[in-house]
Amino acid sequence: MTVSLARLAAANRNKILANLAGRTGIVYLKGNPSTTRKWTDTDTPHRQESFFFYATGCKENDYHFTLDLASKKATLFMPKFSDDHALWSGTPPTAAEVQQTYAVDAVLTTDQLDGVLAAASVVHVLDKAELPASSKTTDEFLRTAMTNARVIKSDDELALMRIAAKISGEAHIELMKAVRPGQGSEREMHALFEYSCFRKGAPVQAYMPIVAVGRGGAVLHYGVNDKPIDKDPNQLLLVDAACEYNLYASDITRTFPLGGKFNGDFKTTYEIVLEAQKVVLDTLKAGVEWEDMHRLAAKTILHGLVKAGLVHGPEDELVKNHIAALFFPHGLGHLIGIDVHDCGGYPAGVERIQEPGIRYLRMRRTLLAGMVVTVEPGVYFVDAILDPALADPNIRKYLNVDVVERFRRTVGGVRIEDDVVILENGIENLTGWVPKEIADIESVMAH
């Protein structure tokens, strides 16, 4: 399915207009400007501001945009290019070419923007700081209107996310096939992942890849990616990496053994996480509360920890003392779209739950059909969490210390993450085809 970004942006603008029904004036959005490294003239990589892209489909820097709420007129403001622009950056587009590319109603130059803003009765902005102070500028309504529009994905948006998921998933499989105990480094695996995405049309990663061997997997946002690949074939490689395609993100994590076979405590940890993810995926549908899904994952992990002999005690006491959060210390997942951690997780008036683990949940809301969320439970052996827990007699009594110490000597962490579309009666798993069952991973790595 070929997606027209101009058509997608026009549909997005209709959603914004619907969410601002009854308001007067114009919407103003500022695209990201050109930037250089400090004290140099070296350009920094450009990535368009997400709200701006959502409404325009325009990836270019130094553009501005207005949307008239009464006439629905969409206007792009393009830079006034310097005489030597063609020398350094190629021939710039004409206004007619910009209008044709983005299917807007009008294209003006940025020197005409002030006049348009001055003529408006009200200017709706995401942040008042984007414009000089004015009594007619308001940031009260636009962010909510655009956020609510972005939360529910259209068919065209889902089509782009499927492409991002396919490219990213294939890169994960390449790493499963390539890794060998004692050969190469995290950096080489990182490079291979980006190369795989780049050559398939996705040159930009949705976030900094995490490629962590062994104990590095206990660092949730590990990003140094500079350690050698361990010689132990039983040791795990945690890869949390994905590209964006036309700015729409994917977010996938897979964890697999360097030697291609799951064994011992590594396998036990993996099975706990896999079961937690499967239980949640089987329960997800429109109408479910996201925080309930986090608690379901935590409860399933707790049962796995008890079965593995890591913790013990009455379940009500284990829950009351947040024992699962010692090993599952982050939120279950988040909305995903143009941003990998997409907007809309906490509507106005909704506060975070101040309890271990769940306090990091990036969303608290009822799931709606058309949302796309990540489901990423994990089990980790984090020294900074376990050391104080073991030193606290009120917590230590629930831990089988020898077993905990045995696991954390070698196992860093396991995370399994998929991107799923919420449907009325279930889900579409955009990344579920990427191997995660033990037999499937072992089969891929055997070849």
Side-chain angles (χ1 to χ4, degrees), residues 28 76 87 96 110 132 189-190 201 271 298 336 346 374 380 398 420 426 431 446:
Y28 166 71
L76 269 175
L87 172 64
T110 50
M189 293 295 100
H190 177 164
E271 289 173 332
I336 181 172
Y346 281 81
T374 67
Y380 314 84
Y398 298 114
V420 302
T431 55

Side-chain angles (χ1 to χ4, degrees), residues 264-415:
D265 293 342
F266 305 100
K267 183 176 182 179
T268 298
T269 307
Y270 190 88
E271 289 173 332
I272 294 171
V273 178
L274 182 61
E275 179 62 18
Q277 199 210 35
K278 289 163 77 170
V279 167
V280 171
L281 293 176
D282 286 345
T283 309
L284 282 177
K285 63 180 179 179
V288 167
E289 297 295 332
W290 186 238
E291 65 203 66
D292 292 344
M293 294 299 94
H294 176 95
R295 295 193 189 281
L296 176 60
K299 183 177 180 180
T300 306
I301 286 170
L302 181 61
H303 292 166
L305 296 170
V306 171
K307 182 179 178 181
L310 285 154
V311 306
H312 62 91
E315 183 171 326
D316 60 335
E317 292 185 28
L318 296 175
V319 172
K320 180 181 178 180
N321 286 278
H322 309 291
I323 300 303
L326 300 175
F327 303 90
F328 175 36
H330 60 75
L332 175 63
H334 49 81
L335 291 163
I336 181 172
I338 296 178
D339 291 303
V340 68
H341 294 161
D342 217 16
C343 58
Y346 281 81
V350 178
E351 302 295 332
R352 291 181 180 268
I353 299 170
Q354 294 303 321
E355 298 174 8
I358 201 170
R359 69 164 58 99
Y360 298 117
L361 194 63
R362 296 183 186 273
M363 174 172 66
R364 276 192 75 193
R365 57 188 303 164
T366 304
L367 296 181
L368 303 173
M371 288 180 172
V372 185
V373 301
T374 67
V375 180
E376 47 181 306
V379 167
Y380 314 84
F381 297 87
V382 182
D383 291 338
I385 295 175
L386 292 178
D387 286 343
L390 290 167
D392 182 348
N394 294 318
I395 300 300
R396 182 186 178 97
K397 66 183 180 181
Y398 298 114
L399 305 178
N400 290 320
V401 177
D402 291 345
V403 181
V404 170
E405 294 289 9
R406 188 186 81 218
F407 270 72
R408 78 157 162 171
R409 275 195 296 271
T410 54
V411 182
V414 170
R415 182 164 61 253

Side-chain angles (χ1 to χ4, degrees), residues 16 29 51 54-55 126 142-151:
I16 297 166
L29 296 171
F51 284 105
Y54 183 80
L126 295 170
L142 182 58
R143 182 178 293 275
T144 298
M146 293 196 71
T147 295
N148 288 342
R150 283 176 58 180
V151 161

Side-chain angles (χ1 to χ4, degrees), residues 171-205:
H172 275 272
I173 292 171
E174 287 202 35
L175 264 61
M176 291 179 189
K177 293 179 177 179
V179 72
R180 295 290 185 276
Q183 297 183 24
S185 65
E186 295 168 343
R187 183 179 291 118
E188 290 178 43
M189 293 295 100
H190 177 164
L192 176 60
F193 191 95
E194 291 210 31
Y195 169 70
S196 177
C197 294
F198 203 120
R199 69 190 181 93
K200 293 176 182 177
V204 179
Q205 295 296 293

Side-chain angles (χ1 to χ4, degrees), residues 40-163:
T40 80
D41 61 357
T42 303
D43 293 332
T44 55
H46 172 75
R47 200 272 192 185
Q48 189 57 276
E49 194 280 317
S50 297
F51 284 105
F52 185 89
F53 177 78
Y54 183 80
T56 66
C58 176
K59 302 177 186 178
E60 303 302 318
N61 47 5
D62 302 315
Y63 276 67
H64 301 253
F65 174 75
T66 60
L67 179 63
D68 190 295
L69 298 182
S71 68
K72 302 182 181 180
K73 181 180 180 180
T75 304
L76 269 175
F77 295 81
M78 63 187 291
K80 291 200 75 174
F81 295 102
S82 63
D83 292 340
D84 59 358
H85 185 277
L87 172 64
W88 298 103
S89 302
T91 302
T94 66
E97 289 170 338
V98 171
Q99 186 170 7
Q100 182 178 20
T101 298
Y102 300 111
V104 290
D105 299 301
V107 175
L108 303 176
T109 49
T110 50
D111 60 327
Q112 298 171 284
L113 176 62
D114 287 347
V116 172
L117 296 175
S121 58
V122 180
V123 181
H124 297 273
V125 294
L126 295 170
D127 185 343
K128 284 185 177 181
E130 293 184 336
L131 290 173
S134 169
S135 61
K136 65 181 181 181
T137 300
T138 177
D139 57 6
E140 185 176 355
F141 309 109
L142 182 58
R143 182 178 293 275
T144 298
M146 293 196 71
T147 295
N148 288 342
R150 283 176 58 180
V151 161
I152 305 300
K153 304 301 187 285
S154 66
D155 289 343
D156 278 350
E157 289 179 291
L158 292 176
L160 294 175
M161 295 185 75
R162 289 187 189 100
I163 295 171

